[in-house]
Structure formats: structure tokens, C-alpha cells
Amino acid sequence: MRLTVLGKKDTRSGFGEGLRRLGETNSRVLALCADLKGSLKMDAFIKEHPERYIECGIAEANMIGVAAGLATAGYIPFAGSFAAFASGRVYDQIRQVVAYSNKNVKIVASHAGVTLGEDGATHQMLEDVGMMRMLPNMTVVVPCDYNQAIQATLAAAAYEGPLYLRLGRPTVPVFIPEDAPFEIGKSQLLREGDDITVIANGHLVYPALEAADLIEREYRYNVRVINMHTVKPLDTQSILDAVNTTHALIVAEEHMLAGGMGEAIARIVTSEKKQIPMGFVAVDDKFGQSGTPDELLTAYQLTAQDIMTTCMKTFTSND
């Protein structure tokens, strides 16, 4: 895939644009929010389709119940809030009336991870992917840039069943082409390589590409980079292809190590009785703290340099 940086935008704005487009093409799509419509970038949809927006106020549990009821009536509700509220605060409701009942509700979780920034630990949700992927019937999607967030939103509306869409607050490089193929459950091979594989998603995909460039320049090793935008269901075949082709596997995610994508991928590798050195770039059993996104990515060792260091440590572990 030919990649060119097209500027910087936030993934939540990609959702907003995707929702706006859905408003034009699918009359069953509704938007619900818990008093954060500006933060979720729902304004354009609301302006064009005010009758299809439901303001639920600071009552996230009620919002999930309303969304489940609307799904029962044949609508496609997108229910949005900050990730800390859209997952942790309403887990019981999601489990009972969305996942267990297998309702066609799309849960939109913005401001996820440490890159939320200055709001600090109480709002920096680092456990949500683990919580959601453990629920039967739930699909989990983590787009890496603005264009992919648009694609993921459009795909979510066409996808039948509960879905958790994880988005971020800061502006990040836009590098996925607008016309790039996107399929829920199918990863993207962004860079070929036969020495090391890095599997990343969300905000860490671009740093993974930067790390691959650094490794090639400094060590002359080739790094395969896979964008695993769907954490559940995982693209098992792309994982096994990487294991069979390269000599080290690193997983990078802006999430807690426990319960995250890395553990899910490790289970696939071990269940297939594959032997390959594995390394993990993730938050290791810590809460967040207040700071700028760049400060926090550095503090929690989630930068391109950290990915490169983990790659080389893992790749040379059997020397």
C-alpha cells in the first residue's frame, strides 16, 4: 500500500464525517450522546438530521438502554461518549441489553487511551478493549487515522450486531488512502518485511511505521507492519502468515497490556503451537496521569523509539 501523510486530524472527527455521510444514505441511522455531542463530532449530523438525534444527558446507562430499544425497533443507533463512560460506567448495561441480547448497537468510545491528555487517569481509559472483547457477540474496531475512522463508521452501520468503535482525541497523521480497502475482521498489510513483524492499531500504527523506517536505516532489517484495526474478530491468517515468514513478532497498542490485543494475538500463536519471540509495547499495569499526549506517550514508552527498542531486543533474544 502506498502511504503518504496527508496532514493531521483526529479519529473522532473521522467518525463525525462518517456519521454525516450515513445520515445522507441510511435513514435507519440514529445518533445518541451523553451530553458530549461536540466532543464526539456529531454536530454536522445533528444540523442536517435533528430529528434523528437523541440527547440523553449525563445518563450513559440510560443511553445504552435507549439504544438497545431502538435497535429492537429496526434502527441502527450510534451511542457515543468518552471511552471511560462508554465502557466502564455502563458495562452492566452493555453486557445485558446489548451483548447478551445481541442488539445491533454501535458504541462509539472517544477520548480513549493516555493520549486523552491533561484530563488525567480518571478519564484515560486503558482497559476498554479487554472489557469489550471478552463479551460474546461484541465486535471491537480501533481505526488508526481520520480516513480509516470514516471507513470504520460506514462499515459499522452495514455490520449486523453489537460493535465497539474506539476513537482518540488528538490529531494524528492521516496516511491511509481514502479508497483503501476496509473490511471488519480483515487486517491491512502496510509494509512488507521478512525479518520482524509489528502488529499495531489505533494511534500506534504510524509510530510502528516510523520504527520500521528507523530499523531499516540503522540495522538493515526489514519490518513487516500490520494494521490490526479489528481486535475482535482478529485476522488469524495474517498473524500466522507473519509468524511463518518473520523471526520476531511485536504487538503495539495504546492500551493496558493485560487483556489487550497483544494477549489475544499471543493466544493464537500458542494455540497453533508456533514458536516465535514476542514483544509487547503497551501500558504495563499502570493508570494514566495528566500531561500532553506526547509527554504521556514518552512516559509510558509508546513511541516509535520504544517500538524500535522492543523490536531489536525481541529479534536478538535468541542470538
Side-chain angles (χ1 to χ4, degrees), residues 54-173:
I54 300 173
E55 175 55 66
C56 297
I58 305 174
E60 293 86 355
N62 183 58
M63 177 179 70
I64 294 299
V66 171
L70 291 167
T72 301
Y75 293 102
I76 305 172
F78 282 77
S81 186
F82 286 3
F85 311 141
S87 60
R89 180 172 290 181
V90 295
Y91 194 73
D92 180 54
Q93 284 73 25
I94 292 173
R95 183 181 186 274
Q96 306 294 18
V97 303
V98 176
Y100 176 70
S101 302
N102 199 22
K103 292 295 190 294
N104 191 32
V105 173
K106 317 306 172 184
I107 300 164
V108 186
S110 182
H111 295 59
V114 294
T115 50
L116 168 58
E118 291 83 352
D119 287 0
T122 57
H123 285 51
Q124 290 166 354
M125 196 62 176
L126 293 163
E127 311 92 73
D128 54 322
V129 168
M131 295 167 66
M132 291 299 129
R133 76 176 185 85
M134 284 189 288
L135 289 172
N137 298 321
M138 185 64 72
T139 294
V140 181
V141 179
V142 188
C144 67
D145 76 350
Y146 172 85
N147 284 340
Q148 189 157 88
I150 295 173
Q151 296 172 326
T153 303
L154 299 177
Y159 190 87
E160 186 69 27
L163 185 142
Y164 184 79
L165 181 62
R166 191 185 206 235
L167 306 168
R169 179 188 192 184
T171 59
V172 295

Side-chain angles (χ1 to χ4, degrees), residues 249-267:
L249 175 61
I250 286 77
V251 182
E253 57 186 321
E254 189 190 351
H255 186 271
M256 204 73 75
L257 177 61
M261 178 174 69
E263 286 194 350
I265 290 173
R267 181 181 60 81

Side-chain angles (χ1 to χ4, degrees), residues 24-42:
E24 296 177 346
T25 60
N26 192 332
S27 62
R28 294 193 298 136
V29 168
L30 306 178
L32 293 76
C33 199
D35 199 34
L36 289 167
K37 61 181 182 296
S39 296
L40 271 289
K41 303 298 184 180
M42 292 180 172

Side-chain angles (χ1 to χ4, degrees), residues 248-313:
L249 175 61
I250 286 77
V251 182
E253 57 186 321
E254 189 190 351
H255 186 271
M256 204 73 75
L257 177 61
M261 178 174 69
E263 286 194 350
I265 290 173
R267 181 181 60 81
I268 288 173
V269 173
T270 56
S271 66
E272 293 292 330
K273 296 181 172 57
K274 302 293 184 180
Q275 294 188 2
I276 187 172
M278 290 191 68
F280 304 92
V281 176
V283 178
D284 191 3
D285 201 30
K286 297 177 182 177
F287 286 108
Q289 57 186 307
S290 183
T292 67
D294 286 343
E295 288 172 341
L296 294 167
L297 288 171
T298 299
Y300 288 88
Q301 299 181 308
L302 302 174
T303 67
Q305 183 67 46
D306 295 311
I307 295 173
M308 182 181 75
T309 299
T310 301
C311 283
M312 297 313 303
K313 180 180 179 181

Side-chain angles (χ1 to χ4, degrees), residues 9 59 61 86 142 162 170 195-196 232 274:
K9 292 184 178 181
V142 188
D195 292 316
I196 302 167
K232 182 185 178 184
K274 302 293 184 180

Side-chain angles (χ1 to χ4, degrees), residues 165-193:
L165 181 62
R166 191 185 206 235
L167 306 168
R169 179 188 192 184
T171 59
V172 295
V174 180
F175 58 96
I176 298 296
E178 290 185 39
D179 59 352
F182 181 89
E183 181 181 346
I184 292 174
K186 181 68 175 177
S187 66
Q188 291 177 318
L189 179 61
L190 300 182
R191 183 183 176 119
E192 297 278 1

